[in-house]
Amino acid sequence: MRIFFLLLIFFNSAYGQNKLFEYDFKYKSNPKDSVILRKMILDCEGGKRSVFRSERERTSDSLIAATGLGNGRNIRLEDQFYIVKDYAENIMYKSIQNIYRDIFSIRITEKLEWEILPEKSKIGNFEVQKAKVSYGGRNWTAWFTTEIPIQDGPYVFRGLPGLVIRISDNQNDYNFNLTEIKNGSEKIYYRNKGLELNWEQFKKIASDYYSDPLARIKSTGMPFKVNDGMGNAIPADMRKETDNIKKDIRENNNPIELNHKIKYE
């Protein structure tokens, strides 16, 4: 593994200082519902690290660095895909932020045992080769190219002898597809690690949050308002809002790490 990261540093330096890879990310938070599309960004910062997150989160990180204020947060903890890979330290972690702006990080220690297959093809302008791997209780098929000598890819997927261009799970719930390559920013802003957790600790936090997602707001006694659909802020029915959030979490519970799925009732 140490050799892999030293090679990764070498290849990143050879390819260029900072690169930005944009992916179309299609997924089903509920397998019965329609597909969600997000624009995701993989920022590769020379031989130091890479940060994978949504375009919106990337913009928010830059705003926070400049002004201290960022964009809104997702009410579902499982529906987040923010990954930081530290090449030099051989560390990868998933970052999760709740509606109160608390940040948690989970160290990703599951090994990716890639099987590189002989099948080759072409995607866009790139010659690609097929590979398979298991991660998060799902089986994945990837296409990578050695024409981009960066052993990285979307989300946690790394370690192939080139960039992952396309990858999807065998249930077709999660699909990543490279759409654009650009020179990256000189300075890459990203979240701090926050409170480091293991999966069991995350499960406890997520379950407590689900039991009463607005508990912290209620405890302050401050008025909580919502949009009435016509642009007007009106006092919220806290019980109704709580029930709506719990229903949303319960019905959109198809996490990418299926082996760490929490049973919400």
Side-chain angles (χ1 to χ4, degrees), residues 226-232 234:
V226 295
N227 193 310
D228 65 356
M230 302 180 67
N232 302 310
I234 60 173

Side-chain angles (χ1 to χ4, degrees), residues 196-243:
E196 294 190 47
L197 308 172
N198 58 36
W199 283 108
E200 283 303 310
Q201 291 168 328
F202 170 72
K203 182 177 180 179
K204 174 68 166 59
I205 286 176
S207 298
D208 289 347
Y209 168 68
Y210 171 77
S211 67
D212 193 355
L214 299 179
R216 195 181 301 184
I217 294 174
K218 294 175 186 175
S219 69
T220 66
M222 296 178 63
F224 181 59
K225 296 186 177 182
V226 295
N227 193 310
D228 65 356
M230 302 180 67
N232 302 310
I234 60 173
D237 181 329
M238 297 298 280
R239 175 174 290 185
K240 181 179 178 181
E241 291 300 319
T242 296
D243 288 344

